[in-house]
Amino acid sequence: MITRFIRSTVVLAALVAFAVPAAAQTGSIAGRVIADGQPLSAAQVSVVDVQSGAAFGALSSADGRYTVGNLRPGLYNVTAQSIGYTTQTQT
């Protein structure tokens, strides 16, 4: 069986801070899950805060896109997984 890889384009720079007090700043991580050059729908995307371990998640849409919002500024590991594909993680 040919191993298929999930390539997730993670927009870590998408942590956009709103003009509110520092304690309340949040942003989002958005990207697209691609497998074999095609969008992968219903992939499970996990976003984990490296420092606190807080975990958030989303499923990719029909065009492979996902967004995880209400994230505090920080460093995150983003993992995309789907049955039949190799799990991929990016920081």
Side-chain angles (χ1 to χ4, degrees), residues 26-85:
T26 61
S28 62
I29 293 177
R32 192 169 186 206
V33 182
I34 304 291
D36 300 326
Q38 298 296 317
L40 186 61
S41 65
Q44 182 179 349
V45 179
S46 302
V47 177
V48 179
D49 185 317
V50 172
Q51 185 176 15
S52 72
F56 308 89
L59 289 177
S60 62
S61 64
D63 65 354
R65 297 184 190 282
Y66 66 88
T67 301
V68 178
N70 294 321
L71 302 172
R72 292 184 169 263
L75 183 62
Y76 290 85
N77 286 328
V78 179
T79 302
Q81 60 185 0
S82 186
I83 295 172
Y85 295 87

